[in-house]
Amino acid sequence: MTTLLPNLTVAAILFSSGVTNADDITKGQLAYDTKGTKVTLVYEHLLPDVPGKSVKGVLVEYAPGGYNSAHTHAKSAIIYATVLKGAVLSGVNGGEAKTFTKGMNFTELPGDQHDISANASQTEPAKLLAVFVVDTDDKALTTPLKP
């Protein structure tokens, strides 16, 4: 992976959470609330051949039934997310929410709105690693949507 990172313009996101499907959580509940989620910056490195760009790794851990509020990411962010444990429910830009299980991954592009980010299980924890390729000066990687 180290040899691939400098060539990638994507970022990885790991999600872990516990909701079996989008019907189990209302969009209103997810819109401006967060429950049972721990987010940790675990890696940061300047891209040597791409001035002004950095790779940042974020570990997202969801308790059973945990979820994040609807949000956007830094405008420069390209994100590649991989589920490390459990299953994560993810929906972007008003599209259909999909469940990603351990080993599966997804991408978010600059300007995407992350409408649903939740554990697909009410009984088991989930975890994902999100890798961001962003402008080095972008400090806020995630911004909750305002009501």
Side-chain angles (χ1 to χ4, degrees), residues 13 39 58 68-74 79 114 132 139-145:
I13 296 181
V39 179
V58 176
N68 264 336
S69 65
H71 58 274
T72 58
H73 294 289
I79 303 162
H114 204 164
F132 290 66
K139 300 301 178 200
L141 297 180
T142 303
T143 304
L145 294 177

Side-chain angles (χ1 to χ4, degrees), residues 10 18 21-23 36 42 56-57 68 70 85 123 135 139-140 146:
V10 297
N21 62 55
D23 296 331
V42 295
K56 297 181 181 186
N68 264 336
K85 178 179 182 179
T123 59
D135 290 345
K139 300 301 178 200
K146 297 179 182 176

Side-chain angles (χ1 to χ4, degrees), residues 30-54:
L30 285 174
Y32 310 110
D33 192 14
T34 296
K35 173 187 168 192
T37 305
K38 179 181 177 186
V39 179
T40 308
L41 180 67
V42 295
Y43 181 80
E44 187 170 8
H45 195 281
L46 295 173
L47 288 174
D49 296 334
V50 187
K53 292 288 187 179
S54 292

Side-chain angles (χ1 to χ4, degrees), residues 90-92 94-98 116:
S90 182
V92 179
E96 177 184 350
K98 296 179 183 176
I116 297 174

Side-chain angles (χ1 to χ4, degrees), residues 23-139:
D23 296 331
D24 291 342
I25 295 180
T26 66
K27 283 198 176 192
Q29 180 185 19
L30 285 174
Y32 310 110
D33 192 14
T34 296
K35 173 187 168 192
T37 305
K38 179 181 177 186
V39 179
T40 308
L41 180 67
V42 295
Y43 181 80
E44 187 170 8
H45 195 281
L46 295 173
L47 288 174
D49 296 334
V50 187
K53 292 288 187 179
S54 292
V55 174
K56 297 181 181 186
V58 176
L59 182 64
V60 181
E61 300 172 273
Y62 292 94
Y67 55 86
N68 264 336
S69 65
H71 58 274
T72 58
H73 294 289
K75 290 182 181 181
S76 66
I78 297 174
I79 303 162
Y80 175 79
T82 299
V83 177
L84 301 178
K85 178 179 182 179
V88 175
L89 186 65
S90 182
V92 179
N93 299 327
E96 177 184 350
K98 296 179 183 176
T99 300
F100 297 87
T101 57
K102 182 179 177 180
M104 296 177 76
N105 53 65
F106 57 92
T107 300
E108 291 183 47
L109 301 174
D112 281 352
Q113 178 175 309
H114 204 164
D115 303 313
I116 297 174
S117 173
N119 188 336
S121 170
Q122 295 293 325
T123 59
E124 300 294 324
K127 187 183 297 187
L128 74 81
L129 178 63
V131 177
F132 290 66
V133 174
V134 293
D135 290 345
T136 300
D137 294 338
D138 284 343
K139 300 301 178 200

